[in-house]
C-alpha cells in the first residue's frame, strides 16, 4: 500500500500543479514530512490523508490503492 500511496500522492500533486511546499502548508505539515510521504518512508495519519484527498479531490480509497477510480464519494447530509 505504501508504494501505491506514495506514487499516487506524487501523481495527484503534479496533476493539480501543486508544489510539495504548497501541499505541506495546506495540510499544516513540514515540507519534509510531506516529502517523506511521497518517498514512501513514512505513512500519513488518517487526518492528514483526509486533508490531502480533499485538496486533490480524490477518494481515500484511490490514494491507498483500493480502487483505480479517483472520484470522491458524495457526502450525505
Amino acid at each position: 500500500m505504501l508504494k501505491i500511496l506514495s506514487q499516487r500522492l506524487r501523481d495527484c500533486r503534479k496533476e493539480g500543479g501543486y508544489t510539495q511546499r504548497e501541499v505541506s502548508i495546506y495540510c499544516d505539515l513540514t515540507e519534509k514530512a510531506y516529502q517523506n510521504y511521497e518517498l514512501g518512508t513514512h505513512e500519513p495519519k488518517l487526518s492528514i490523508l483526509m486533508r490531502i484527498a480533499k485538496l486533490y479531490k480524490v477518494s481515500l480509497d484511490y490514494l491507498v490503492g483500493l480502487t483505480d477510480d479517483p472520484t470522491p464519494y458524495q457526502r450525505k447530509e
Side-chain angles (χ1 to χ4, degrees), residues 1-12 34 37-44 49 56 58-69:
M1 177 194 86
L2 200 53
K3 184 176 180 174
I4 291 172
L5 175 62
S6 64
Q7 183 63 49
R8 290 198 173 168
L9 288 174
R10 189 173 20 263
D11 292 345
C12 287
Y34 184 78
Y37 301 155
E38 282 195 8
L39 291 172
T41 57
H42 291 84
E43 192 172 315
L49 204 52
Y56 294 155
V58 298
S59 70
L60 289 174
D61 287 352
Y62 174 74
L63 286 179
V64 298
L66 293 176
T67 183
D68 290 329
D69 179 8

Side-chain angles (χ1 to χ4, degrees), residues 14-33:
K14 289 181 180 181
E15 229 175 83
Y18 298 105
T19 64
Q20 289 180 336
R21 180 167 170 73
E22 290 170 328
V23 176
S24 66
I25 290 169
Y26 178 84
C27 294
D28 197 26
L29 301 167
T30 64
E31 189 173 352
K32 183 65 176 168

